Amino acid sequence: MGHVSPPEGSSAEAAARPGLPLGLPTYLAALQARFGVTPAMVKGAGWSIGGTASGAVASFVVQIILARALEATRYGVYSYLLAWVNVAVLVGKLEFDTAAIRFVAAYDGQRQDGLLRGFWQYGWRVVSRTATGIALLAGLAAWLLRRHLHPGMEGGIWAASALVPLSALLLFSSSTLQGFRRVPQAQLPSQLLRPVLFGIGIVVVGGLGLELSAGGAVGLNTAATAVALGVSLFLLNRAAPDSAVAATPAFDTTGWMRAVRSFLVISAAQLVLSQQSDILVVGTVLSPRDAGLYSAASQLSGLIMLGAQAVIFVVLPMVADLYARGRRAELQSIVVRTVQGCALISVPAVAVLLIGGRVVLHAYGSAFVDAYPILAVLTSGTLVGATSRMVVGTALLNLALTITLTPLFGAVGAAVATVTAGLTRVGLLSWYAQRYVGVAVRPYFAAAPRAAEGG
């Protein structure tokens, strides 16, 4: 395995063997020490993976309930409105949520209370004002152009506008809690409470015998987000150190804005690569029904990556540590094992969706079975993290292909564009890792070169 072992025949070696049940805790402790993984990191990873999984299940169930309540066309209108909300949130939050994880953790760890309070105040002010301004402008423009929008969309314009600042502030508050290393508190409001409240609202409306419109669904989402934001702020108030609350704010606006600019470029490119941009193109070029079908297919294909993302989340600190220490052989080994682990989780999920995709789509409603060709295309592609230049390049490729292929081949063309851009990025990343890090991203160990005969 490449790790340093005690002398042969020692009791320590026997205790460290993973095959011996009594030595398992010792073996795990040795692995933690070897890779620099602390118990706190393991606990945080466990909470993060559990919270993400719980939130994904809750969101998935709620989307099925919503799709059955709205049916394909109204669900498409809802998805189209939400896609625009996500774009507005991206611009409105200015990536201060991403910056919060970095700066809050650093200031809290270094006991720089003034800068900690200053960053939180400045970030809250910038995000709230920017997101509100963008929401008002977008809402006003949509209201003026409402006669040119798809039928049923005008009813959700102002609810969608209210959702923008609430969502942006919820992301900022959650990231601040994450910076304080409060992983469960950071995830509970946004990933679990919000979808659960949204689902309860949908069920209550249906129980009252009322027909839910796309605009009404956006309104319920907005109400759930407002409650989740209130809970997040309450948890944040409890998590903030008393010394930071009492400190005089200090501001490093130049450094903060420099950081968020680089984050914003990467995030914008990631949004273009995501299915959100596809939903916007499909909904604009084709119809709300097509947008609804695409939204359902993209949600299902997104489930494939959840297990792989959990594996990568746990492995990343080990990769960073091995790279920093120049241990290329062990780094190559862990990369291969990570690829194998991701494949072990993802390949069965892909097979299930390809074989039983129509059955799963039927859970959304009988009309959503028509989304199977889109689902089949999307499940063939995977999305991975990348450097900013590669993300931007493949994002532009995705946008160009989507605009070109959607009018020609419909929603399937948009799916092909996303997969093509994603595979292009995978190729670029593999080349980048091989050239600059000296590690080959592959699912197998390369055979050692044979010695020359007679050597």
Side-chain angles (χ1 to χ4, degrees):
M1 296 291 291
H3 59 274
V4 179
S5 300
E8 255 188 76
S10 69
S11 60
E13 179 190 18
R17 287 176 185 165
L20 300 177
L22 292 177
L24 183 58
T26 305
Y27 177 73
L28 293 176
L31 282 181
Q32 290 181 6
R34 173 185 168 194
F35 292 115
V37 180
T38 65
M41 290 174 61
V42 175
K43 183 179 179 180
W47 275 112
S48 180
I49 294 170
T52 300
S54 301
V57 171
S59 296
F60 180 63
V61 172
V62 169
Q63 289 303 313
I64 289 180
I65 295 173
L66 179 63
R68 295 187 71 89
L70 294 178
E71 299 180 346
T73 299
R74 284 178 292 159
Y75 184 71
V77 172
Y78 171 84
S79 300
Y80 188 77
L81 286 169
L82 260 291
W84 278 116
V85 167
N86 290 331
V87 173
V89 169
L90 170 69
V91 179
K93 66 188 179 67
L94 293 176
E95 284 305 292
F96 264 88
D97 58 328
T98 305
I101 299 174
R102 167 184 169 184
F103 288 113
V104 170
Y107 294 152
D108 183 45
Q110 299 167 10
R111 296 296 184 267
Q112 294 179 297
D113 294 327
L115 285 170
L116 177 57
R117 185 179 178 190
F119 175 82
W120 195 86
Q121 288 187 355
Y122 183 76
W124 179 270
R125 184 166 62 245
V126 170
V127 171
S128 60
R129 292 177 180 177
T130 306
T132 301
I134 290 173
L136 290 175
L137 288 175
L140 179 60
W143 181 255
L144 293 175
L145 298 173
R146 63 188 182 279
R147 299 183 186 279
H148 303 282
L149 300 176
H150 293 298
M153 197 166 293
E154 66 280 357
I157 291 175
W158 293 114
S161 298
L163 182 57
V164 172
L166 292 173
S167 296
L169 291 172
L170 177 58
L171 287 171
F172 180 69
S173 179
S174 298
S175 295
T176 304
L177 279 164
Q178 188 176 349
F180 283 129
R181 299 173 182 82
R182 302 293 198 275
V183 177
Q185 295 91 327
Q187 293 181 320
L188 173 64
S190 59
Q191 296 190 19
L192 194 57
L193 180 61
R194 177 179 176 176
V196 168
L197 291 176
F198 184 27
I200 292 174
I202 298 169
V203 172
V204 168
V205 170
L208 295 175
L210 303 175
E211 184 179 75
L212 184 64
S213 65
V218 177
L220 290 176
N221 195 341
T222 303
T225 304
V227 175
L229 176 59
V231 173
S232 181
L233 292 176
F234 171 77
L235 295 174
L236 180 57
N237 184 61
R238 291 173 60 90
D242 293 336
S243 56
V245 174
T248 301
F251 299 93
D252 180 20
T253 54
T254 301
W256 298 336
M257 294 306 298
R258 186 187 305 116
V260 299
R261 278 196 295 269
S262 61
F263 293 146
L264 189 60
V265 171
I266 296 174
S267 181
Q270 290 281 18
L271 180 65
V272 174
L273 276 170
S274 73
Q275 277 92 26
Q276 294 298 318
S277 62
D278 296 349
I279 293 173
L280 290 177
V281 174
V282 170
T284 301
V285 176
L286 301 178
S287 69
R289 183 180 185 277
D290 291 303
L293 298 182
Y294 195 99
S295 179
S298 66
Q299 288 167 23
L300 288 174
S301 65
L303 294 176
I304 296 172
M305 290 303 296
L306 288 179
Q309 288 167 354
V311 172
I312 293 170
F313 180 88
V314 174
V315 168
L316 276 179
M318 305 178 190
V319 171
D321 178 64
L322 292 174
Y323 176 73
R325 289 189 282 166
R327 299 169 69 168
R328 292 294 189 275
E330 292 180 59
L331 180 58
Q332 178 65 73
S333 176
I334 200 173
V335 167
V336 171
R337 294 302 187 196
T338 301
V339 174
Q340 291 173 344
C342 291
L344 185 65
I345 296 173
S346 301
V347 171
V350 171
V352 168
L353 288 180
L354 289 178
I355 296 172
R358 288 186 173 86
V359 176
V360 181
L361 284 168
H362 194 274
Y364 285 80
S366 57
F368 288 89
V369 177
D370 294 341
Y372 178 76
I374 306 170
L375 177 63
V377 173
L378 290 177
T379 53
S380 64
T382 58
L383 299 178
V384 295
T387 61
S388 60
R389 285 181 295 177
M390 292 182 184
V391 172
V392 172
T394 49
L396 293 176
L397 172 64
N398 182 49
L399 184 60
L401 288 173
T402 301
I403 293 174
T404 303
L405 296 179
T406 301
L408 296 176
F409 303 105
V412 174
V416 170
T418 294
V419 171
T420 301
L423 293 177
T424 301
R425 181 168 60 174
V426 169
L428 288 171
L429 284 170
S430 299
W431 169 81
Y432 187 93
Q434 179 74 58
R435 177 167 181 175
Y436 295 102
V437 185
V439 173
V441 182
R442 59 187 176 220
Y444 60 89
F445 290 101
R450 294 183 178 180
E453 283 196 33

